[in-house]
Amino acid sequence: MDDVQHVKEYFDCRAEQWDQICHHDPAKLEALATLADIQPDQNILDIACGTGAMFDVLLRRKPHRLVGVDLSDRMISVARQKYPLPNVELFAQDILEFSQTGFDTAFIYSAYPHFSNKIALCKKVWECLKTGGRFLVAHSEGRKTIDARHQSPQVQRVSTHLGTAEQEARIWKEQFDVDILIDTPFLYVISGVKTTGL
Ligand SMILES: C[S@@+](CC[C@H](N)C(=O)[O-])C[C@H]1O[C@@H](n2cnc3c(N)ncnc32)[C@H](O)[C@@H]1O
């Protein structure tokens, strides 16, 4: 996998067409929000939010703040046009350089294979969450489908192999109480709670 600048350029080039290229089953997105147990007035962080695939579902849960962060400023620009709302805040930056904390929930939806340094990502998610906060690494497809889509040399340059939920969860178990693992042909979730403070 190439460096973060190449990942940014790859997604920048696709931002305008992204919503036409990708389909997300709304029922599965609802299921992910239910698994996250999102309650009204919470602060939600959507890491690698892209154009906001999760936003409709998350906004229906009435968050206090929905904060989206994405490396690609063109993805963020599309998301900004779609969601000009006072409780939606968008940042075009590498999540590893994001410094806000105190979130109740952090989603990494349909983006995990695009992070080369999973240990640094896990540590950053831990910093962003409050004690008791929950993270979800989630896909509304199975890992074999995702891996197959990432096979072309061009996509291999911006993605990593997605292991079983059990394998990938090892890193997260170092920092979190991981209590949800789903690894079916139709859904993939690693989720857990931050139980320790600073
Ligand atoms: C496959 S897209 C998914 C976008 C969105 N979650 C969706 O489901 O449509 C992966 C996204 O991850 C973002 N990304 C990759 N590395 C990132 C990083 N280090 N920090 C923030 N965003 C990142 C890319 O810019 C891209 O928009």
Side-chain angles (χ1 to χ4, degrees):
M1 181 174 171
D2 286 359
D3 63 17
V4 86
Q5 181 60 28
H6 184 80
V7 176
K8 174 190 157 12
E9 286 162 12
Y10 178 92
F11 286 106
D12 270 344
C13 289
R14 287 155 181 80
E16 301 298 329
Q17 295 81 39
W18 194 250
D19 288 349
Q20 283 75 55
I21 299 168
C22 297
H23 169 73
H24 306 273
D25 181 341
K28 292 186 190 175
L29 300 187
E30 271 301 333
L32 295 175
T34 299
L35 281 175
D37 192 27
I38 296 169
Q39 301 298 320
D41 286 325
Q42 288 189 339
N43 296 323
I44 303 175
L45 177 61
D46 188 343
I47 296 170
C49 64
T51 59
M54 284 295 299
F55 285 8
D56 286 342
V57 164
L58 297 176
L59 287 167
R60 276 201 289 278
R61 309 271 164 152
K62 308 272 182 239
H64 176 57
R65 296 171 72 212
L66 171 55
V67 176
V69 179
D70 198 286
L71 195 56
S72 159
D73 46 287
R74 287 174 61 184
M75 286 284 208
I76 288 291
S77 167
V78 174
R80 252 194 209 112
Q81 287 163 32
K82 288 166 64 185
Y83 298 95
L85 302 171
N87 62 341
V88 176
E89 300 167 40
L90 296 167
F91 298 90
Q93 70 182 108
D94 185 339
I95 189 62
L96 299 183
E97 291 165 8
F98 182 70
S99 58
Q100 292 188 24
T101 58
F103 290 93
D104 297 283
T105 310
F107 271 93
I108 303 159
Y109 171 68
S110 199
Y112 192 60
H114 301 292
F115 290 87
S116 58
N117 190 341
K118 308 283 198 293
I119 293 172
L121 175 65
C122 177
K123 284 185 179 150
K124 173 52 69 178
V125 172
W126 191 91
E127 283 168 20
C128 289
L129 287 170
K130 60 170 68 162
T131 301
R134 175 176 288 282
F135 81 90
L136 278 95
V137 170
H139 291 271
S140 52
E141 300 170 303
R143 63 189 159 79
K144 289 188 179 162
T145 306
I146 295 158
D147 260 2
R149 190 178 311 120
H150 291 171
Q151 277 314 299
S152 76
Q154 197 187 18
V155 188
Q156 275 186 9
R157 291 184 60 189
V158 296
S159 55
T160 58
H161 165 71
L162 187 60
T164 66
E166 190 72 53
Q167 287 165 346
E168 300 286 351
R170 278 184 210 136
I171 291 168
W172 297 85
K173 284 178 180 173
E174 298 282 320
Q175 308 262 353
F176 293 90
D177 179 7
V178 173
D179 57 356
I180 303 175
L181 291 182
I182 301 173
D183 196 341
T184 74
F186 313 105
L187 201 64
Y188 183 98
V189 181
I190 303 167
S191 180
V193 174
K194 173 175 170 174
T195 53
T196 53
L198 284 171

